[in-house]
Amino acid sequence: MRLLVTGGAGFIGSEFVRSTLSEHAADQVTVLDKLTYAGNLANLESVAGDTRFQFIQGDIADPAVVERALRGCDAVVNFAAETHVDRSILEPDAFVKTDVVGTWTLAEAARAARVQRFVQVSTDEVYGAVLSGASVETDRLDPTSPYSASKAGGELLVMAAVKTYGLPALVVRGANAYGPYQYPEKLIPLHITNAIDDQPLPVYGDGQQRRQWTHVADFATGIDAVLRNGVIGEIYNVGNPEPEDSLLVNLDVSRRILSLLGKSETLLQHVVDRPAHDRRYRVDASKLVALGWKPRWTFADGLEQTVRWYAEHQEWWRSIKSGETHQTYYARNYADRSAFAR
Ligand code: NAD
Ligand code: DAU
């Protein structure tokens, strides 16, 4: 298979590229990535010399760029997106441009190029908060943030292209991923790296929110199963099936990180909550399990491995955290919050 992987220089996309090239010897991969603040060529260093790998810098919202990138490709996996909920609250426009308009531009170009498969990577956040039970793929969408609403728009447009034009597309709705190479703005890498530096760990509100922490390697094998075995026009949830108690509430995730690093809980700092903060997500991934998906990581083991990775790869995240882009965002998102700490 010759694959176009958009957003392949990001967290999950780069894991997917590395695992595809190591597991599927006959595959070729082209990455198309705009290299926003979240894109990082260091994430692809291990495959850069592989003759089956090619990198193109460009925007999925640019029709000429996507037309060129798609030449000769049989399949597309669209990871490219603006992905951070807090940034979508501060600056929503980029989310509409990439997650809605960019997704549509790419889907149209894929239709013209007659690709055989198009996988749209979406999110469990499109269901909105789920206070009990688990979302199934037929549940109604009720997104809360500009991020989740933009992702809902993107996947609805892809499904419209399936129904209207016969685009051979599938949608994956993913739960919270964590693991190596995650940009240190998201809860787990932010709290690990702050703890290493003895900096406060900002906990939004009461910290009793729940996420379905799914190791990035399992997330990537879930996408692979949908790409190769999924039924066109179908939607598949991907999320860690462990019992909820093992996945912890946010505050306990942060406490576990501190304990793994031998740091004091006095670093925990409750701050003003995120607006419209979804209290809980959980998906039922049985449909993906029926395709043969077998998640391998428990959250306990995965969190330990992730903490170790950040402790051993400080050059990777220090170069991000010391940069002006990150520092400007950090000051903007957290300065007022800390001033109004509970
Ligand atoms: P990320 O923020 O780490 O990476 C996003 C990548 O997309 C970056 O490399 C960035 O440069 C690239 N990109 C952004 N805008 C682009 C554009 N206009 N054109 C081309 N490239 C562009 O994201 P991630 O956490 O790896 O998420 C990947 C996908 O998975 C996203 O679609 C996201 O919505 C979805 N998802 C993420 C999670 C999660 O927990 N991280 C969970 C469910 C779904
Ligand atoms: O559910 C899937 C989604 O998970 C993906 O679609 C998104 O791309 C991804 O960013 C993630 O969204 P969340 O908002 O759940 O992830 P985040 O790591 O930002 O936050 C996780 C939880 O931790 C959430 O309840 C907010 C809380 N939090 C987050 C940060 C950054 C804090 O308490 N403090 C923080 O500093």
Side-chain angles (χ1 to χ4, degrees):
M1 201 173 331
R2 183 149 169 211
L3 278 170
L4 177 65
V5 180
T6 64
F11 165 49
I12 310 175
S14 66
E15 169 70 26
F16 180 79
V17 170
R18 293 188 300 270
S19 61
T20 298
L21 289 170
S22 83
E23 298 302 313
H24 302 285
D27 283 4
Q28 293 181 298
V29 174
T30 298
V31 166
L32 171 65
D33 197 295
K34 188 176 174 184
L35 295 181
T36 66
Y37 77 94
N40 188 346
L41 285 178
N43 301 356
L44 293 168
E45 227 164 56
S46 65
V47 295
D50 192 319
T51 52
R52 297 170 298 147
F53 170 78
Q54 189 197 355
F55 180 82
I56 300 172
Q57 182 171 3
D59 190 335
I60 59 162
D62 181 333
V65 166
V66 292
E67 187 268 327
R68 181 169 73 87
L70 273 160
R71 281 182 208 155
C73 289
D74 318 305
V76 180
V77 185
N78 182 26
F79 289 99
E82 289 293 337
T83 63
H84 192 38
V85 173
D86 293 319
R87 287 183 192 259
S88 84
I89 294 166
L90 295 171
E91 281 180 8
D93 288 11
F95 289 72
V96 178
K97 283 187 184 126
T98 290
D99 302 6
V100 183
V101 179
T103 298
W104 180 246
T105 307
L106 185 66
E108 278 290 82
R111 178 161 74 96
R114 299 183 183 282
V115 301
Q116 288 158 30
R117 315 280 279 182
F118 183 105
V119 177
Q120 171 64 14
V121 182
S122 188
T123 170
D124 64 356
E125 298 202 7
V126 297
Y127 296 117
V130 182
L131 298 182
S132 61
S135 306
V136 293
E137 290 83 351
T138 47
D139 284 354
R140 74 186 275 264
L141 305 189
D142 189 15
T144 307
S145 68
Y147 165 68
S148 52
S150 302
K151 291 296 291 185
E155 69 158 82
L156 286 170
L157 285 166
V158 168
M159 290 306 284
V162 173
K163 292 170 194 154
T164 311
Y165 307 117
L167 180 74
L170 310 94
V171 169
V172 186
R173 294 188 182 138
N176 282 64
Y178 72 97
Y181 296 101
Q182 187 169 29
Y183 189 92
E185 65 190 350
K186 309 279 166 49
L187 178 76
I188 289 182
L190 177 69
H191 282 198
I192 295 172
T193 55
N194 279 15
I196 289 173
D197 280 346
D198 296 308
Q199 293 300 309
L201 274 50
V203 176
Y204 294 168
D206 63 6
Q208 297 304 306
Q209 306 83 3
R210 283 188 181 277
R211 296 294 184 262
Q212 191 175 6
W213 300 108
T214 304
H215 194 278
V216 65
D218 288 331
F219 197 116
T221 60
I223 304 276
D224 190 65
V226 171
L227 172 67
R228 285 161 210 279
N229 307 323
V231 175
I232 284 166
E234 292 292 320
I235 298 170
Y236 297 88
N237 288 333
V238 54
N240 185 349
E242 275 183 277
E244 187 149 89
D245 284 352
S246 339
L247 303 181
L248 311 177
V249 293
N250 287 349
L251 185 58
D252 291 336
V253 171
S254 306
R255 286 192 174 122
R256 179 78 60 86
I257 288 169
L258 289 168
S259 144
L260 286 165
L261 288 166
K263 301 282 182 171
S264 160
E265 289 193 10
T266 55
L267 288 175
L268 294 168
Q269 185 184 30
H270 285 272
V271 297
V272 166
D273 209 349
R274 177 186 276 175
H277 193 174
D278 287 338
R279 198 81 184 151
R280 174 181 178 272
Y281 304 123
R282 187 161 181 95
V283 296
D284 178 336
S286 323
K287 196 170 160 185
L288 183 59
V289 169
L291 278 190
W293 180 60
K294 287 196 193 74
R296 297 188 190 284
W297 284 91
T298 62
F299 183 54
D301 288 349
L303 188 60
E304 205 179 321
Q305 175 242 18
T306 303
V307 168
R308 206 177 321 118
W309 189 88
Y310 281 88
E312 289 171 357
H313 293 80
Q314 299 202 16
E315 72 298 342
W316 183 87
W317 56 266
R318 284 198 187 284
S319 66
I320 295 171
K321 284 187 99 170
S322 61
E324 204 186 319
T325 310
H326 181 80
Q327 295 203 353
T328 306
Y329 159 74
Y330 200 80
R332 205 168 156 209
N333 192 51
Y334 291 100
D336 287 351
R337 277 206 161 94
S338 312
F340 295 103
R342 281 192 329 139

